[in-house]
Amino acid sequence: MPVKKPVPKRPAQKSPPVPQPQPVSGPCPDDPEEQVGFCSLIEKLKKDIRRHMFAFLGKDIARAGIHDYYKALAYTMRERMAEHWIRTQRSYYDASAKRVYYLSLEFLVGRSLKNNVLCLGLEDQVREALAEMGQDFEEVAETEWDAGLGNGGLGRLASCYLDSLATLKIPAYGYGIRYEYGIFHQSIQDGWQVERPDNWLRFGNPWEYDRAGYLYPVQFGGEVRAYTDEQGRLRAVWEGGEKVMAMAYDMMVPGYQNGNVINMRLWSAKSSRDFDLEFFNSGAYLRAIEDKAKSENISKVLYPTDSFVEGQELRLKQQYFFVAATFQDITRRHLKHHQGFDELPDLVAVQLNDTHPAIAIPELMRILLDEHLLPWEKAWEICVGTFAYTNHTVMPEALEHWPVDLMTRVLPRHMQIIFEINRRFLDEVRKRYPGDDERLRRLSLISEDYGKRVRMANLAVLGSHSVNGVSALHTDILKNSTFRDFAELFPERFNNKTNGVTPRRWLRQCNPGLAELIAEGIGHGFVTDLSRLEGLKPLAADAEFRARWGKVKHKNKQRLAEYVLYKLDRKLDPDSLFDVQVKRIHEYKRQLLNVLHVVSLYDDLRSGRLGRDIVPRTVIFGGKAAPGYRMAKLIIRLIHAVSDAVAREPKCQGQLAVAFLPNYCVSNAEKIIPGAELSEQISLAGTEASGTGNMKFSLNGALTIGTLDGANVEIRERVGAENFFLFGLTTPEAGALKARGYNPWEYYQKDETLHRVLDLVASGHFSPLQPDLFRPVVDSLLKDGDRWMLLADFRSYVEAQKQVARLYRSSELWLEKSILNTAGMGYFSSDRAVAEYARDIWGVGV
Ligand SMILES: *Cc1c(COP(=O)(O)O)cnc(C)c1O
């Protein structure tokens, strides 16, 4: 961690002793041994920035603005990464290594400049070079637009894993879609969420290379023709329909200061008409241009729903477009050096990030059967050996079920193959469990519940040699409930890979103050070996270290307060407890439970009821609601209404404040998390598969108030139960209560505080001009069964919050626990997670 690395001195004399090559067409080498005379690294960086300003941007440096500096610097870094990248790619060929393909419809990349500079080990030099050019590195980095090609946790996980794959030097590729519009930009008007398109490519993307040479056709629709081949075997070909071209764009992902760079290849849809000479003569020019626009829609926009499926035809087309292009690329690369596919599982591992790319299973079958004429059994063995599936949710509304008629229309051959996979599978099941029709119904790839549909999760489980959950608890639920019948048939397939986050972005880069203090205590090694954080444990008992820890946290809170002042024009008190819940807005994540607690504090304060259990508190919310999710949007509206009421109440001044930070995204997370003291991880037990936000907070020294859900369970075990505020039902308790017949009214009637709080929200107190505005919120709890059991957990949550307040008043104790949180988080590095995937699933060494 080069915070304290000496900056190379600039030489006194500027004229070179020997003639220097003029580096107009390439960078000066950064290798210190090759540095001669005046050509110091900083001089070279400045020269390269100027060269790119001129050659790529066509800008006179005298007229360059801050965004020009950002772009010229980005090109300067990209060029250095490209050298590493080419060397990395060659090493794969030399070693004929097994390759890992990480397939994900989402990559929530965020900004790249700071990360790439850090990974190249050029932080101090870049800062100095820019300073000498009159620019501030932080300000330049702030001008970068987030690459928001994902919704939330699942997409961010994919980006953390690419970072770790590069850092661990695993021969890997990320594959995804280059959406023209990423996750929408959220702003707030009158307390309501307003979405605006995220036109992230408007000013160009300096990190990507377009690869017009890697262009593949992707087919939709048409029909399947059966024929008999020379050997008398029944064969199928898929013919006709429409064709769309997939064009590759590459973004390099550097490892941490290890000279290794891997590739994320994103596909963009281009009309096949562009490449079709015929249409120039066909006379149907305007029609052709219309068709062109239509086919290019495929990669136009990211679907903005998290943990919820829409079932749109365009989404299915996105999935197949992505998979078809990726597999043409994979098979091309494979066949360059190998004959046939028998060895594919020894040379290629494909990890499916959720079922979004699961159409890859019938696609590989189609390639092997129809294009390479393999027998069914062999093709299936290759498929199962190649694929591995990561499940991310057990909630029914998030499981993909494509209608059979839609799939027959869009992908007729794949539908046939899925039916045949199912037929053979169910024959086997019938042999093993004769007469057990219920079991057949549960295992079938086709459900009949709402018309015939393909159960993509069942397909993914059947077509993979590995099925993993993303936390210990989640994997237990998969084995014992969601995929119970499959686990009985294929127990060896199921395994757990608890999620992790990259310590580069989520500690070293976003919290340099804390990272430096940690490094002073235990050295820099934790950046690539997070388990070393363990070494902080004794320092938690050191009063001086605690004081310095407290200072860093306070600085981070001030920085966050400055950001809020700038964004919302609101002053936050940096001496109050910063209590933070930032994540997608979803009922199962229970932001509403947090709001109900805030309302209870507000009501206690204004009626003078509170005694010693209150401590000045700033409650910060952030998160996007899916544009069609009415309840989630109403909860955002309620947060604003409560925030206003609290701000207007004289008795709350200096005691309580509520702020909603708009447009929660990776770059905002990097500002918020280092300043958080209390992390709200309050989903109903059994609903959050893992969570990764929970890890980022604890890693940065926040204490968690949380349920025994997802990875919270493991975080609590590792940081120590005494350093974690636990509340709420366990998963089995919640299940048993539901089974007995959960009645939210009982809690409403028994708990006086809860009664008062719900009545206040229902009464229109927070929306006097529209008294019924928040009625649906209360109805969801009292009339519609309270699906996420907020009322059952309310009392226990309020009691845990009282403990939070009590502990916060003993600041030494709080700081000790804060340090112990960071110290216990070594396990939650994405390096550990990826190393486990490599060892247990992919069979590649690290
Ligand atoms: C980490 C992260 C998430 C995931 O947060 P959870 O609390 O695990 O849901 C979502 N969005 C962004 C921008 C993140 O950085």
Side-chain angles (χ1 to χ4, degrees), residues 750-778:
K750 260 193 326 221
D751 193 311
E752 196 199 318
T753 312
L754 180 59
H755 201 296
R756 217 167 346 100
V757 163
L758 288 179
D759 286 358
L760 202 57
V761 175
S763 72
H765 177 85
F766 297 104
S767 53
L769 299 177
Q770 264 176 289
D772 288 335
L773 184 60
F774 300 119
R775 194 76 239 184
V777 171
V778 179

Side-chain angles (χ1 to χ4, degrees), residues 309 311 316 319 355 358-359 361-362 399-408 411-412 414-422 443-460 462:
V309 293
L316 177 63
Q319 296 184 347
T355 58
I359 195 70
I361 293 166
L399 294 175
E400 296 191 293
H401 293 98
W402 291 108
V404 165
D405 31 352
L406 172 62
M407 202 173 265
T408 305
L411 301 169
H414 298 77
M415 194 62 250
Q416 280 187 347
I417 290 170
I418 291 168
F419 277 136
E420 181 61 11
I421 295 170
N422 199 37
L443 284 166
S444 176
L445 304 191
I446 311 294
S447 82
E448 316 258 343
D449 301 343
Y450 307 91
K452 281 197 171 192
R453 285 165 181 267
V454 182
R455 292 167 167 154
M456 298 305 280
N458 290 24
L459 173 63
L462 192 58

Side-chain angles (χ1 to χ4, degrees), residues 163-199:
D163 178 283
S164 288
L165 286 162
T167 296
L168 295 173
K169 293 194 166 189
I170 293 172
Y173 304 79
Y175 274 88
I177 294 180
R178 182 178 176 270
Y179 301 106
E180 215 172 297
Y181 294 89
I183 186 65
F184 63 85
H185 180 277
Q186 177 196 55
S187 58
I188 303 294
Q189 274 172 27
D190 304 324
W192 294 104
Q193 167 175 298
V194 176
E195 302 95 23
R196 275 183 306 173
D198 165 54
N199 191 1

Side-chain angles (χ1 to χ4, degrees), residues 108 152-153 156 506 582-583 589 664-666 669 681 688 691-694 696:
L108 196 49
R156 184 54 233 174
W506 296 113
V582 286
K583 48 179 77 243
K589 291 177 184 274
Y664 182 58
C665 59
V666 172
Q681 306 300 336
E688 186 78 88
T692 49
N694 47 6
K696 300 167 197 165

